[in-house]
Short mmCIF file of all heavy atoms in Angstrom, two decimals:
data_model
loop_
_atom_site.label_atom_id
_atom_site.label_comp_id
_atom_site.label_asym_id
_atom_site.label_seq_id
_atom_site.Cartn_x
_atom_site.Cartn_y
_atom_site.Cartn_z
N GLY A 264 -8.13 -0.04 -14.47
CA GLY A 264 -9.45 0.20 -13.92
C GLY A 264 -9.93 1.56 -14.38
O GLY A 264 -9.14 2.39 -14.84
N LYS A 265 -11.22 1.79 -14.29
CA LYS A 265 -11.77 3.08 -14.68
C LYS A 265 -11.25 4.18 -13.76
O LYS A 265 -10.74 3.90 -12.68
CB LYS A 265 -13.30 3.04 -14.62
CG LYS A 265 -13.93 2.07 -15.61
CD LYS A 265 -15.44 2.23 -15.65
CE LYS A 265 -16.11 1.83 -14.37
NZ LYS A 265 -17.59 1.89 -14.45
N ASN A 266 -11.40 5.42 -14.20
CA ASN A 266 -11.05 6.54 -13.33
C ASN A 266 -11.88 6.48 -12.06
O ASN A 266 -13.09 6.29 -12.10
CB ASN A 266 -11.32 7.87 -14.06
CG ASN A 266 -10.30 8.16 -15.12
OD1 ASN A 266 -9.14 8.43 -14.83
ND2 ASN A 266 -10.71 8.08 -16.38
N GLY A 267 -11.20 6.64 -10.91
CA GLY A 267 -11.88 6.57 -9.63
C GLY A 267 -12.05 5.17 -9.09
O GLY A 267 -12.67 4.97 -8.04
N ALA A 268 -11.48 4.18 -9.77
CA ALA A 268 -11.63 2.79 -9.33
C ALA A 268 -10.80 2.50 -8.08
O ALA A 268 -11.11 1.58 -7.32
CB ALA A 268 -11.23 1.83 -10.44
N GLY A 269 -9.72 3.27 -7.86
CA GLY A 269 -8.87 3.06 -6.69
C GLY A 269 -7.41 2.78 -7.03
O GLY A 269 -6.59 2.53 -6.13
N LYS A 270 -7.06 2.85 -8.32
CA LYS A 270 -5.68 2.56 -8.74
C LYS A 270 -4.68 3.51 -8.10
O LYS A 270 -3.63 3.09 -7.59
CB LYS A 270 -5.53 2.65 -10.26
CG LYS A 270 -6.41 1.73 -11.07
CD LYS A 270 -6.07 1.78 -12.53
CE LYS A 270 -6.09 3.17 -13.11
NZ LYS A 270 -7.41 3.82 -13.05
N SER A 271 -4.98 4.80 -8.13
CA SER A 271 -4.04 5.80 -7.60
C SER A 271 -3.83 5.61 -6.10
O SER A 271 -2.71 5.75 -5.60
CB SER A 271 -4.56 7.22 -7.87
OG SER A 271 -4.62 7.46 -9.26
N THR A 272 -4.90 5.27 -5.38
CA THR A 272 -4.78 5.00 -3.95
C THR A 272 -3.89 3.79 -3.71
O THR A 272 -3.02 3.80 -2.82
CB THR A 272 -6.16 4.78 -3.32
OG1 THR A 272 -6.98 5.93 -3.58
CG2 THR A 272 -6.05 4.56 -1.83
N LEU A 273 -4.10 2.76 -4.49
CA LEU A 273 -3.31 1.53 -4.37
C LEU A 273 -1.83 1.80 -4.61
O LEU A 273 -0.96 1.39 -3.84
CB LEU A 273 -3.83 0.49 -5.35
CG LEU A 273 -3.21 -0.91 -5.27
CD1 LEU A 273 -3.50 -1.55 -3.93
CD2 LEU A 273 -3.74 -1.78 -6.40
N VAL A 274 -1.55 2.56 -5.66
CA VAL A 274 -0.16 2.90 -5.99
C VAL A 274 0.44 3.78 -4.89
O VAL A 274 1.61 3.63 -4.52
CB VAL A 274 -0.10 3.61 -7.36
CG1 VAL A 274 1.27 4.24 -7.58
CG2 VAL A 274 -0.41 2.63 -8.48
N GLY A 275 -0.37 4.69 -4.36
CA GLY A 275 0.10 5.55 -3.27
C GLY A 275 0.48 4.76 -2.04
O GLY A 275 1.47 5.07 -1.35
N ILE A 276 -0.26 3.70 -1.74
CA ILE A 276 0.04 2.85 -0.58
C ILE A 276 1.35 2.09 -0.81
O ILE A 276 2.20 2.01 0.08
CB ILE A 276 -1.13 1.87 -0.33
CG1 ILE A 276 -2.32 2.64 0.25
CG2 ILE A 276 -0.71 0.74 0.61
CD1 ILE A 276 -3.60 1.85 0.33
N ILE A 277 1.54 1.56 -2.02
CA ILE A 277 2.76 0.80 -2.32
C ILE A 277 3.99 1.69 -2.27
O ILE A 277 5.06 1.28 -1.81
CB ILE A 277 2.64 0.14 -3.71
CG1 ILE A 277 1.52 -0.91 -3.71
CG2 ILE A 277 3.96 -0.52 -4.11
CD1 ILE A 277 1.21 -1.47 -5.09
N SER A 278 3.86 2.94 -2.73
CA SER A 278 5.01 3.85 -2.79
C SER A 278 5.23 4.65 -1.52
O SER A 278 6.16 5.45 -1.44
CB SER A 278 4.86 4.81 -3.98
OG SER A 278 3.67 5.57 -3.85
N GLY A 279 4.36 4.47 -0.51
CA GLY A 279 4.53 5.16 0.76
C GLY A 279 3.93 6.54 0.82
O GLY A 279 4.12 7.27 1.80
N LEU A 280 3.15 6.93 -0.20
CA LEU A 280 2.54 8.26 -0.22
C LEU A 280 1.19 8.28 0.49
O LEU A 280 0.70 9.34 0.87
CB LEU A 280 2.38 8.73 -1.67
CG LEU A 280 3.67 8.86 -2.47
CD1 LEU A 280 3.35 9.19 -3.93
CD2 LEU A 280 4.57 9.93 -1.88
N VAL A 281 0.57 7.11 0.65
CA VAL A 281 -0.74 7.00 1.28
C VAL A 281 -0.68 5.90 2.35
O VAL A 281 -0.15 4.82 2.09
CB VAL A 281 -1.83 6.65 0.24
CG1 VAL A 281 -3.18 6.42 0.92
CG2 VAL A 281 -1.94 7.74 -0.81
N ALA A 282 -1.21 6.21 3.53
CA ALA A 282 -1.26 5.20 4.60
C ALA A 282 -2.60 4.48 4.55
O ALA A 282 -3.65 5.12 4.53
CB ALA A 282 -1.08 5.87 5.96
N PRO A 283 -2.59 3.14 4.52
CA PRO A 283 -3.87 2.41 4.51
C PRO A 283 -4.59 2.54 5.85
O PRO A 283 -3.96 2.75 6.89
CB PRO A 283 -3.45 0.97 4.23
CG PRO A 283 -2.04 0.89 4.72
CD PRO A 283 -1.43 2.24 4.49
N SER A 284 -5.91 2.40 5.85
CA SER A 284 -6.69 2.41 7.08
C SER A 284 -6.54 1.10 7.83
O SER A 284 -6.61 1.05 9.06
CB SER A 284 -8.16 2.69 6.77
OG SER A 284 -8.30 3.92 6.09
N SER A 285 -6.35 0.02 7.08
CA SER A 285 -6.14 -1.30 7.69
C SER A 285 -5.49 -2.21 6.65
O SER A 285 -5.44 -1.89 5.47
CB SER A 285 -7.45 -1.90 8.18
OG SER A 285 -8.35 -2.11 7.11
N GLY A 286 -5.00 -3.35 7.11
CA GLY A 286 -4.38 -4.31 6.21
C GLY A 286 -2.87 -4.36 6.38
O GLY A 286 -2.29 -3.64 7.21
N GLU A 287 -2.24 -5.23 5.60
CA GLU A 287 -0.79 -5.45 5.71
C GLU A 287 -0.12 -5.31 4.35
O GLU A 287 -0.70 -5.66 3.31
CB GLU A 287 -0.51 -6.85 6.26
CG GLU A 287 -1.08 -7.09 7.64
CD GLU A 287 -0.94 -8.55 8.08
OE1 GLU A 287 -0.47 -9.38 7.25
OE2 GLU A 287 -1.29 -8.85 9.23
N ILE A 288 1.13 -4.82 4.39
CA ILE A 288 1.97 -4.74 3.20
C ILE A 288 3.21 -5.59 3.46
O ILE A 288 3.91 -5.37 4.46
CB ILE A 288 2.39 -3.28 2.91
CG1 ILE A 288 1.17 -2.36 2.85
CG2 ILE A 288 3.21 -3.20 1.62
CD1 ILE A 288 1.51 -0.89 2.99
N TRP A 289 3.47 -6.55 2.60
CA TRP A 289 4.62 -7.42 2.75
C TRP A 289 5.60 -7.17 1.60
O TRP A 289 5.23 -7.23 0.43
CB TRP A 289 4.19 -8.89 2.73
CG TRP A 289 3.45 -9.29 3.97
CD1 TRP A 289 2.16 -9.02 4.29
CD2 TRP A 289 3.98 -10.06 5.06
NE1 TRP A 289 1.83 -9.55 5.51
CE2 TRP A 289 2.93 -10.21 6.02
CE3 TRP A 289 5.22 -10.64 5.33
CZ2 TRP A 289 3.10 -10.90 7.21
CZ3 TRP A 289 5.39 -11.34 6.52
CH2 TRP A 289 4.33 -11.46 7.44
N ILE A 290 6.85 -6.86 1.96
CA ILE A 290 7.90 -6.63 0.97
C ILE A 290 9.07 -7.55 1.29
O ILE A 290 9.63 -7.47 2.39
CB ILE A 290 8.37 -5.17 0.96
CG1 ILE A 290 7.19 -4.22 0.73
CG2 ILE A 290 9.43 -4.95 -0.13
CD1 ILE A 290 7.54 -2.76 0.89
N ASN A 291 9.38 -8.42 0.35
CA ASN A 291 10.48 -9.37 0.55
C ASN A 291 10.36 -10.12 1.88
O ASN A 291 11.34 -10.29 2.62
CB ASN A 291 11.83 -8.65 0.48
CG ASN A 291 12.07 -8.04 -0.89
OD1 ASN A 291 11.78 -8.66 -1.91
ND2 ASN A 291 12.59 -6.82 -0.92
N GLY A 292 9.12 -10.50 2.23
CA GLY A 292 8.88 -11.27 3.44
C GLY A 292 8.80 -10.47 4.71
O GLY A 292 8.60 -11.04 5.79
N GLN A 293 8.90 -9.14 4.63
CA GLN A 293 8.82 -8.30 5.83
C GLN A 293 7.48 -7.58 5.86
O GLN A 293 7.05 -7.00 4.86
CB GLN A 293 9.97 -7.28 5.83
CG GLN A 293 10.06 -6.46 7.11
CD GLN A 293 11.34 -5.62 7.16
OE1 GLN A 293 12.23 -5.81 6.34
NE2 GLN A 293 11.42 -4.73 8.12
N LYS A 294 6.81 -7.59 7.03
CA LYS A 294 5.47 -7.03 7.16
C LYS A 294 5.50 -5.56 7.59
O LYS A 294 6.27 -5.17 8.47
CB LYS A 294 4.65 -7.83 8.17
CG LYS A 294 3.20 -7.36 8.28
CD LYS A 294 2.40 -8.20 9.25
CE LYS A 294 2.65 -7.76 10.68
NZ LYS A 294 1.72 -8.40 11.64
N TYR A 295 4.62 -4.75 6.97
CA TYR A 295 4.42 -3.35 7.35
C TYR A 295 2.91 -3.09 7.42
O TYR A 295 2.14 -3.65 6.64
CB TYR A 295 5.02 -2.40 6.31
CG TYR A 295 6.52 -2.51 6.13
CD1 TYR A 295 7.05 -3.42 5.21
CD2 TYR A 295 7.39 -1.71 6.86
CE1 TYR A 295 8.42 -3.53 5.04
CE2 TYR A 295 8.77 -1.81 6.69
CZ TYR A 295 9.27 -2.72 5.78
OH TYR A 295 10.63 -2.83 5.60
N THR A 296 2.53 -2.22 8.35
CA THR A 296 1.14 -1.77 8.36
C THR A 296 0.96 -0.55 7.48
O THR A 296 -0.13 -0.25 7.00
CB THR A 296 0.67 -1.43 9.79
OG1 THR A 296 1.59 -0.48 10.38
CG2 THR A 296 0.64 -2.69 10.65
N SER A 297 2.05 0.18 7.25
CA SER A 297 2.07 1.28 6.28
C SER A 297 3.53 1.58 5.94
O SER A 297 4.44 1.19 6.67
CB SER A 297 1.39 2.54 6.84
OG SER A 297 2.14 3.07 7.92
N LEU A 298 3.70 2.28 4.83
CA LEU A 298 5.04 2.67 4.40
C LEU A 298 5.14 4.19 4.38
O LEU A 298 4.15 4.88 4.21
CB LEU A 298 5.33 2.13 3.00
CG LEU A 298 5.32 0.62 2.78
CD1 LEU A 298 5.46 0.30 1.30
CD2 LEU A 298 6.45 -0.04 3.57
N SER A 299 6.34 4.69 4.54
CA SER A 299 6.63 6.09 4.27
C SER A 299 7.44 6.12 2.97
O SER A 299 8.00 5.09 2.56
CB SER A 299 7.45 6.71 5.41
OG SER A 299 8.75 6.13 5.44
#
């Protein structure tokens, strides 16, 4: 995506560096609202 499209935020959420405002993260069938 272009710069500022949201890629870094998305990667930060997956790696636990950024907490989402809403939504769910599922890893190997286990649900999280955010990761550390």
Side-chain angles (χ1 to χ4, degrees):
K265 296 189 293 184
N266 286 291
K270 301 187 306 298
S271 296
T272 303
L273 186 63
V274 168
I276 287 171
I277 295 172
S278 59
L280 299 174
V281 175
S284 302
S285 62
E287 299 172 356
I288 307 163
W289 289 77
I290 304 173
N291 297 318
Q293 186 171 349
K294 185 178 81 170
Y295 298 88
T296 54
S297 67
L298 299 173
S299 68

